[in-house]
Amino acid sequence: MRVVLAGGGVIALLTAVECVSAGHEVVIADQADIPFSGATSFDRHRVLRALHPGDLATTAAAVGAHHAWIELEHLLSTAFYEQSGALTALGTDDATAARDLLTVAGSKAEVFGADELAAEFPHAGFAPGTGAVFESHAGILLADRLLAACAGWLRWHAHAELHPHRKVVGVDADRAEVRLADGEMLRGDAVLLAAGPWSRELLAPELSRELVLHRQTMLYCDVPPADAAAWAATPAITSLGSDGGAWLVPPVAGTPLKLSAASACRVVDEVGGATVPSWWREHLIDTFTALIPGFRRDWLIDTRDCHYLARRSTLGPMLAVLGDRVLSYAACGGSSFKFAPLIARSLAARLTGAEPAPTGLEPLDRPLVRADGVHPIRPALRGVS
């Protein structure tokens, strides 16, 4: 079977790996490099953690993803998962409930009281009086290293074709083919449109309207040499307990300290430029100056804005069945990256006619299905990323 994948991000690449591993041929087309440093998937790191408070199915799925990432390290012969653990600030009762949930889901967790947390991580800036739950089956994924490993593995495989700088401008679900900007048609037995912020216009209006574009600002910092050892021993922190939803990724494997907050994420109408608006940069600098002891502006070495899509009604990813073995998957920021191995296995099964195993992820197990099953080729304002 020949599977055509429109897009070169983490979902497309891992789905391609799954299809090739099952003996199928794949063709990947993207408007830029594969991987592309400006794509939504591309970053120095992503946090992997299992905890989804009050949701056993999703927490268990995240535990499964943790093990799937380890398997992928072996398959790709590349180390990209730093299993440093993850801390999430919670009240005492909530932290205990979170520990119990993680235990039932098959993970390992322990509760830190406020005094214990402050003593163990005085440099991290947890909100005063807050406790936390620590997950050991969690950590930091070196996203850029993973994407390069996937592309390299596929590039040398006889059953994979990579077509960088080939912009996709249309998808025909009735004929299972995509049209490139240069007029060439890529035909397959199945098609996956890995929809990113640049490719909403490839979807029918009723699906495109379901997707909301978000933009988030992040700071990248060098910590002072005197604090380097403490930061190197710090787990990923998915919540510092602040009102603005501050979180951080510690420096690992030569990467900088990464800082951001839920308050720096906003809904926008279109993809913005590469320059980070000064207001949002200053907002985060002020946020972490108030949180992290000794934080100074001169720690800052870079800023970046990322864009991601989310389904309007759920704020999560969206899988749509456009036709017989023609799918569209719109990822949702770090959430889809965390579950990417499970998502890729499920998508590969659907594309190749196998029965997908339940994942515990509602958007994946119960996709949207178009009534007519046909999505005619139509031009797009932007290509696929």
Side-chain angles (χ1 to χ4, degrees), residues 226-370:
D227 300 330
W231 281 108
T234 302
I237 300 178
T238 63
S239 169
L240 288 163
S242 67
D243 292 338
W247 52 267
L248 64 83
V249 183
V252 296
T255 65
L257 171 68
K258 178 180 175 180
L259 308 172
S260 192
S263 58
C265 182
R266 60 274 191 196
V267 174
V268 295
D269 293 328
E270 59 184 15
V271 176
T275 302
V276 173
S278 60
W279 191 93
W280 292 102
R281 181 183 66 249
E282 294 302 316
H283 165 68
L284 285 178
I285 290 174
D286 290 345
T287 295
F288 286 96
T289 298
L291 283 171
I292 295 178
F295 178 83
R296 298 194 311 269
R297 180 182 295 272
D298 61 10
W299 287 23
L300 189 65
I301 59 172
D302 196 12
T303 57
R304 183 185 178 194
D305 274 6
C306 71
H307 296 79
Y308 65 89
L309 294 174
R311 189 177 177 189
R312 188 181 303 276
S313 57
T314 65
L315 300 182
M318 184 179 78
L319 172 61
V321 178
L322 306 180
D324 185 26
R325 297 189 189 176
V326 179
L327 307 174
S328 167
Y329 184 85
C332 177
S335 175
S336 279
F337 211 113
K338 173 171 60 180
F339 292 112
L342 306 186
I343 295 167
R345 290 175 186 175
S346 182
L347 294 177
R350 291 181 184 276
L351 291 165
T352 59
E355 183 68 27
T359 64
L361 304 173
E362 182 75 9
L364 204 62
D365 295 338
R366 300 184 63 183
L368 299 176
V369 180
R370 293 206 58 195

Side-chain angles (χ1 to χ4, degrees), residues 12-269:
L13 289 174
L14 286 185
T15 301
V17 169
E18 289 288 335
C19 290
V20 168
S21 297
H24 304 286
E25 297 181 1
V26 299
V27 181
I28 303 175
D30 191 275
Q31 67 171 343
D33 292 329
I34 302 176
F36 174 44
S37 61
T40 302
S41 298
F42 199 93
D43 197 0
R44 299 297 298 277
H45 24 42
R46 301 279 186 170
V47 173
L48 302 182
R49 61 130 180 197
L51 178 62
H52 288 75
D55 188 340
L56 177 59
T58 306
T59 300
V63 173
H66 159 83
H67 295 291
W69 282 118
I70 296 172
E71 293 172 10
L72 273 167
E73 281 192 308
H74 293 295
L75 174 67
L76 300 174
S77 300
T78 304
F80 49 74
Y81 185 10
E82 296 286 327
Q83 297 182 54
S84 58
L87 274 168
T88 302
L90 293 167
T92 303
D93 292 342
D94 290 338
T96 301
R99 179 197 60 195
D100 295 344
L101 176 68
L102 287 161
T103 300
V104 172
S107 187
K108 296 180 179 180
E110 59 182 297
V111 173
F112 283 73
D115 292 342
E116 187 179 12
L117 191 65
E120 188 76 17
F121 305 104
H123 57 285
F126 283 95
T130 188
V133 62
F134 173 75
E135 306 174 49
S136 56
H137 286 174
I140 300 159
L141 195 76
L142 302 173
D144 53 354
R145 192 179 295 181
L146 160 73
L147 294 171
C150 286
W153 188 89
L154 291 165
R155 194 171 287 116
W156 288 99
H157 203 289
H159 289 164
E161 296 178 24
L162 275 62
H163 295 280
H165 303 284
R166 304 294 300 279
K167 184 177 180 179
V168 174
V169 296
V171 180
D172 188 328
D174 191 33
R175 300 177 62 182
E177 61 186 20
V178 302
R179 185 175 69 192
L180 304 178
D182 59 11
E184 183 180 350
M185 308 295 290
L186 295 179
R187 295 181 175 87
D189 302 296
V191 171
L192 172 65
L193 169 60
W198 292 266
S199 57
R200 277 186 299 177
E201 294 83 359
L202 290 171
L203 295 170
E206 62 268 29
L207 291 177
S208 180
R209 286 193 295 267
E210 268 288 296
L211 295 173
V212 179
L213 183 64
H214 293 79
R215 181 174 183 173
Q216 180 150 7
T217 298
M218 294 167 290
L219 306 182
Y220 298 85
C221 304
D222 269 347
V223 299
D227 300 330
W231 281 108
T234 302
I237 300 178
T238 63
S239 169
L240 288 163
S242 67
D243 292 338
W247 52 267
L248 64 83
V249 183
V252 296
T255 65
L257 171 68
K258 178 180 175 180
L259 308 172
S260 192
S263 58
C265 182
R266 60 274 191 196
V267 174
V268 295
D269 293 328

